[in-house]
Amino acid sequence: MNQAFSTPAQQSPQTIHLKDYQPPAFLIEQVELDFVLEASATQVTSRLHLKRNPAYPDDKAALTLDGQQLKLLDIQLDGQPLPASDYTLTENHLTLPRPPAEFILQTKVEIDPENNTALEGLYLSSGNFCTQCEAEGFRRITYYLDRPDVLARFTTRIEADKQAFPILLSNGNPTEKGELDKGRHYVIWEDPFPKPCYLFALVGGDLHPVKDTYTTGSGKPIALEIWVEKENLHKCDHALESLKKAMQWDEATYGREYDLDIYMIVAVNDFNMGAMENKGLNIFNSACVLADSKSETDNAFHRVESVVAHEYFHNWSGNRVTCRDWFQLSLKEGFTVFRDQQFSADQHSPAVERIQHVGMLRTAQFAEDASPTAHPVRPDSYIEINNFYTLTVYEKGSEVVRMLSELLGPDTFRKGSDLYFERFDGQAVTVEDFVDCMAEVSGLDLSQFMRWYSQAGTPEVAAKGQYNAEQKTYTLTFTQHTPPTPGQKEKQPLLIPIKMGLVSRAGRPLPLEMKGVLYGTETVLQLTENEQSFTFHNLESEPLPSLLRGFSAPVKLHYNYNKDDLAFLLQQDSDGFNRWDAGQQLALSVLKGLVSAQQQGQDLELDPLLINTWKQLLEGEPEDPLMLAELLQLPSEAYIAEQYDCVDIDAIHIARDYARKTLATALYPEFLRLYQALKSDQPWSATAEQLAARRLKNTCLSFMVVTDAAEALQLAEQQFQQADNMTDQQAALTGLAHAENAEPGEKALKEFARQWAHDPLVMDTWFSIQVTRPHPDALDRVKTLLEHPAFSMKNPNKIRAVLGAFAGQNRHNFHRRDGAGYELLANAVMELNKTNPQIASRLVLPLTRFQKLDDYRKGKIKEQLERIQQEKLSPDLYEVISKALAG
Ligand code: B3K
Ligand code: ZN
C-alpha cells in the first residue's frame, strides 16, 4: 500500500506561513518528461532546464526539489552522472547543495500508480492511468519545484502498451506519435504555454472520444474532445454543449478566447473532487461530466454545465494568470466560482440561482466560519493545503468578488478584469494584484475592503428603523460586528455593501432621497463603521425596509420584522431573492416557535399564517414555477440550527417534521391539484419550462407523500414506474423510500437497483436516498450498505454517497444521542487515513462542528476525535483533528 503520509502521530507536522513567502531560488524554463507506463512500476525521466532566479537574494543557495514516494534510479547533471556526494535525498526532498547557475538536471524515478490509493499524482482508475497534481501532487511523479510560481514549458513523451492503453494524452498539442517493439507505442505532447506543474496532466487508457469543433470569435477553430469509457459515449452531449456555451460566454462577457488548438475533457471514476482544470486536458470526476436524461437528474445536468464552465473559465482565471503561492488560492477559485455563477445566472433564472447559492453559503459556509477550522478567504497559515479547498475559499471568496463587482458596477468591473488579465498574463500573482486592478480602474480606495480577505468569521449586521412622522424621515441605523475566530479575537469593521429599498405599506417601491440626492428606488448603502445611520427624506408614512437585496454581502442580517411584515414582503418585494428570503424568515420564526413549544413540553400547533401564506402561493396559475418551488421549501434543519447558540437537535427535527406534515395535510388538495396540473405526457426535454414544471411537480409530490396517504403513495409508485427520466424517477423513489410506511419504498428500491446495477453513478443516488431516510433505522441501513457489493471504500463518490450523505444530510440520525453515528464516521475516517488522507480529512468535518451542541453530544464527539488522534495521522487529518480538539 502507498504510504500516503510520513508524519508520526506524536510529531507535529510543519506549519507554513504566508508571511514567510520567498521567491524560488531557481526557475525552470523548460521540462522534458518521459513516461514509460506500467501499472506498478512506471518510470519517469525528467530533464529540468534550471537557472538561478535573479529575484532570489542568495546566489549561492542550494537547489531543493520536492519529491515524495519516488524511487530514484538515476541522476545526471548536464549529461554526467551526479556523484552521491553532490546531492542529498530525504523523504520529501532532493537537494543539490552547490549547483551551478544554469544547468540541466536529469532524474529517472520509479513510481507505483497501481497502489496509489491517495489519488494524488499518477494513479489508476478503472484500469486507466490519470493524474491529479493540484495542489502538490506533481512531487509524487518526479523531483520538481512543486510550487505555483515556477512556470515552465512542458514537453511530454508517453510510452505504453498499445492494446491496453491505446489513448495517451497530455497538455498542449500532439506533435509526434509512433509504434515501438513488443506492441508498444508512444505519443509526444507539447504545451507552448508556460505553466506551474499543478496544471500538468497525463492520461493513458482505453477511452473513446466524442468530438466537435468550436470557432472562436477571432475565427480560430478549436478541436473539442470528451474522452470516456465506451459505455458512456451516449452521456457526453450535454457536457459538450455546456463547453461551447461557456467558451462563447467567456468571449462575450470577459473578452477571453481559448488559446490552444485542442481542449480535452477526460472522465474518470475515482476522483477526490469534482474536476481539475489542467491546461488543455481537464480531468473530471465522471459525476461532473456524464449526463443522460434517463440516468441523470436535472440537478445533475446543472452540475455538469456549471463544473464544465468553471474548469473552462480557469483557463484564464487560474491558468493564464495563476497564483503566486497557495495562500492566494481564492484568487483563482473565488473569482472562477463568481464567473461560473454569473454564467449559470445567464443561462437560467438569476433569482433561483442566487437563492440556491446563498442557501448553501448560509448553512455550510457560515457553519465553517463558526467552527474550529474557520479561516479567512486568504488563510495566513496551513499545514496541509488540501484542507483549504473549502467553502470559505471558494464560496465566500466568490461573494467577495461579487461585492467588488457590485461596488464597481459591471462596466468598470470588466475594465478591471481586462486590466488584470492583460497585465498579469503568464504570471503568478496575488490577491492584491487583482484588487489593485479594480481600485485602479474605479478610483476607489479598496484598502478597507481588503479585510474581507484577511478576517475570518461571518459578520453580524443589526439594523433598526426609526420613522419621524413630523419630519417625514426614516433613519436606518446599522451596527456590525464579527465574532472571534481561532487566532483572531479582535475584528475591524468591514466595508459592507447593503443593497436596499423601501416599500410602502401599499406595496409600492418608494423613491430614496438622502441628503437632497435622489437614488431611484434601490441603492447600495456602504457600511464602513461599527455603527452608522442613513436618513431618508420625504416619506409620507412609515416604510418597510427591504435589506440586503440579492444577498449583497455574506453577512447575517438581523432586523426585527414581525410575521405580518414578512408575509407582506413575500408578496410585495420587487427583489426575487428578498421575496424568497422573507418567506424563509417567516417560516423560521414559526419553526422557532415550535422548537420552544417542543422544548417546554407543550402541544405543537402550526401558526395558521404560514398555512395561509402557502395556500395563497399554491392557488392560481403559478407565474414562475421554478421560483414557486423555492418558495415552497422549509428551511433545512441545518439552517434552523444556525439560528441558535445552543442547538437542540431533537427539538429541531421534531418541529420541522411536524411543520412539514401539518402543511402537507392542510394543503393536500392544493398540492394534489398542482401536481396533477403539472403532470405531462410530453417526452422529457431540457427546456426551462419542462424543467421548472418537473421541479414544482416533484416538490408537490414530496409534500403529498409525507402524509402517508394511500393515494399519494400510489401516485408516487405510478410516477416511479412510468417516468421516462431520472428526475421524475428519483423524486418518486425518494418520496417512497422516505415515507414512514417502509414497504412500498423497499419494493421500489429493489426494482431500482435491478434496473440500474450497471450504472455506478445511478447507484450512488440509490445509496444516498437510503442513508438520508429520516427514520430511526437510517444508521443500520448505512452499516448494511457499507457491506454492499456496489460500495467501495476506494471510490470517493461512493464514500460521499453513503457516509457523506448520512453525516451531512441526515442530521438527527447522525447526531443520535448514543453516539453511534459519530462512531461509525470515526471508524471510516480512521480507515481512510491510511489510504486516502484527503477524503479522510473531508469526511471528518461533521465531527468538528460541535460547538453549539449540548454537552452530552459534545462529549461523545470528543471521544471519537480523541480516538482518531491516537492513530498515526496524515498531515491532513492531524491539522483538522488538532484544530477541532483545541477549539
Ligand atoms: N482546482 C481544482 C481543485 C483541486 C483540489 C485539490 N485538492 C478544481 C477546481 O476548483 O476547479
Ligand atoms: Zn476551481
Side-chain angles (χ1 to χ4, degrees), residues 728-844:
D728 285 342
Q729 197 186 17
Q730 193 189 306
L733 179 65
T734 307
L736 291 167
H738 288 192
E740 208 147 321
N741 172 359
E743 210 188 298
E746 284 306 306
K747 209 174 117 223
L749 282 165
K750 281 208 181 79
E751 207 173 315
F752 191 83
R754 257 201 308 276
Q755 190 186 349
W756 292 109
H758 61 281
D759 190 322
L761 292 180
V762 183
M763 290 306 283
D764 289 346
T765 62
W766 181 78
F767 281 119
S768 292
I769 289 171
Q770 295 177 74
V771 302
T772 50
R773 192 174 139 79
H775 303 291
D777 58 353
L779 188 119
D780 293 331
R781 283 175 186 248
V782 178
K783 287 188 175 159
T784 315
L785 290 173
L786 288 175
E787 304 299 321
H788 192 278
F791 180 81
S792 162
M793 273 305 248
K794 287 197 175 135
N795 179 264
N797 287 356
K798 294 280 176 282
I799 297 165
R800 285 185 278 259
V802 175
L803 294 155
F806 174 67
Q809 295 164 45
N810 200 343
R811 252 184 107 79
H812 73 285
N813 278 311
F814 171 62
H815 288 287
R816 273 164 57 139
R817 245 186 105 69
D818 63 4
Y822 308 148
E823 189 183 351
L824 176 94
L825 196 71
N827 289 343
V829 167
M830 290 192 293
E831 188 178 337
L832 285 163
N833 171 50
K834 301 191 183 109
T835 55
N836 189 331
Q838 262 189 58
I839 296 293
S841 116
R842 291 241 146 190
L843 196 65
V844 80

Side-chain angles (χ1 to χ4, degrees), residues 695-709:
R695 174 93 49 89
L696 183 54
K697 175 187 72 180
N698 289 324
T699 302
C700 293
L701 184 66
S702 73
F703 278 97
M704 285 152 58
V705 289
V706 298
T707 62
D708 247 351

Side-chain angles (χ1 to χ4, degrees), residues 10-26:
Q10 296 73 17
Q11 178 196 325
S12 51
Q14 197 197 344
T15 300
I16 301 170
H17 296 272
L18 168 59
K19 63 174 170 41
D20 295 340
Y21 173 82
Q22 288 239 317
F26 279 80

Side-chain angles (χ1 to χ4, degrees), residues 277 310-311 314 332-333 336 394:
E277 70 265 23
H310 178 99
E311 305 311 331
H314 268 314
K332 75 177 178 81
E333 295 305 346
T336 305
Y394 275 64

